[in-house]
Amino acid sequence: MTEIKITAPDDWHLHVRDGAALAAVLPATAKQFARAIIMPNLRPPVRTVAEAAAYRQRILEALPAGSAFEPLMTLYLTDTTPPEEIVRVKESSFVKALKLYPAGATTNSDAGVTDLAKCDKTLEKMAELGIPLLTHGEVTDPAVDVFDREARFIERVMMPLRARLPQLKVVFEHITTREAAQYVSEADANVGATLTPQHLLYNRNEIFKGGIRPHFYCLPVLKREEHRVALVKAATSGSPKFFLGTDSAPHARNTKEVACGCAGCYTAPHALELYAEAFEAAGALDKLEGFASFHGPDFYGLPRNSGEVTLTRLDWKLPESVPYIDESGIVPLKAGETMRWKFAG
Ligand code: DOR
Ligand code: ZN
């Protein structure tokens, strides 16, 4: 196999930040993907349709000339998001979902939800109007081991929520465990999941190989090998419930290589190539197109893209660092290592 041709793909989970950071990272995604679901965890977060409209405008202005990339916006759910905001979401053409960050779970989540019961009326409205909820699926209870937080989320939050509101569409974002893959596989068609390249390619040993390696630290954190194997099986199964979401999360090198480093892997520039490696290793390159280009739009009820993209079989070396908002740059996942596929447009 020397070439992979697939329908133009989308990224169903992406952080592009704002301001100078936005200008630095957006072109990479716009080159590979036709659309992306844009995460709302800015400071302050994107909480209203009006704020999402303004953010969307800044994204459109940061695009390279001639780019047809379409940002699909999300709102940050809080304890006080009113049901009326969901009506405005439905009326807008560009806000596609709400994001649940359990308060304290990850980067810029302090304004997140403290108790999902506080959002009952708003979630009912979302179920009624067909607006999906995207979950950062980890409990924040400090008594729960960091490696078990996703599995506990299924029991404590996901199952009660789905029992209460079976009509609500839910995307279990960036799943990292066998438990989550199994839960989503067995759930009805209202539940889907995104998978990142790092969780398909690496297990938690990678964070500690020869010393502590902050560029492999993201949230939810990488898990044991048995979980990675279960995630690859889900992604390559052909099931329409599983789709591509990079969770590409840029942080300047000097905010990762410190005593208390930020969580996030930067994968936007070589995202498709990373997924191709994971699918090839599983002998499932024929399943890449469904995962990258069909299952996401089908779940969201959006049209599939019409163009095509090509990956070429070629060994090439990733740079150690790429330009970002300061001189420290940003270290992409697999920096300095050899990639097997090259995006050719
Ligand atoms: O690793 C992560 N980084 N996980 C998240 O949930 C947030 C993200 C970020 O915004 O940096
Ligand atoms: Zn994310």
Side-chain angles (χ1 to χ4, degrees), residues 1 13 92 170 247 249 330:
M1 180 87 105
H13 185 128
S92 88
V170 179
D247 199 15
I330 181 164

Side-chain angles (χ1 to χ4, degrees), residues 15 17 41 101 106-107 136 174 218-220 247 249 251 263-265:
H15 300 268
R17 316 301 189 206
N41 62 333
Y101 285 108
T106 186
T107 312
H136 182 106
H174 44 52
C218 65
L219 287 172
D247 199 15
H251 292 280
C265 297

Side-chain angles (χ1 to χ4, degrees), residues 184-186 191 193 233-243 287 290-291 295:
V184 173
S185 299
E186 292 170 1
V191 181
K233 196 166 160 229
T236 59
S237 66
S239 161
K241 291 166 163 292
F242 298 104
F243 36 95
K287 297 293 196 304
F291 176 80
H295 303 164

Side-chain angles (χ1 to χ4, degrees), residues 14-17 19-33 35-36 38 55-64 67 69-71 250 266 268-269 324:
L14 177 70
H15 300 268
V16 289
R17 316 301 189 206
L22 169 63
V25 299
L26 184 66
T29 291
K31 190 173 169 194
Q32 295 209 341
F33 296 100
R35 298 170 289 194
I38 307 294
Y55 185 30
R56 177 174 176 273
Q57 195 52 41
R58 296 197 294 279
I59 293 171
L60 294 176
E61 283 162 14
L63 280 172
S67 171
F69 175 79
E70 188 185 351
Y266 184 56
Y324 194 47

Side-chain angles (χ1 to χ4, degrees), residues 160-172:
L161 170 67
R162 297 270 309 128
R164 209 161 65 242
L165 287 172
Q167 297 315 317
L168 180 67
K169 281 189 148 189
V170 179
V171 182
F172 203 147

Side-chain angles (χ1 to χ4, degrees), residues 148-163:
D148 297 333
R149 288 183 182 174
E150 184 174 281
R152 293 295 90 74
F153 182 88
I154 299 170
E155 300 149 12
R156 294 188 191 177
V157 182
M158 194 64 108
M159 291 171 76
L161 170 67
R162 297 270 309 128

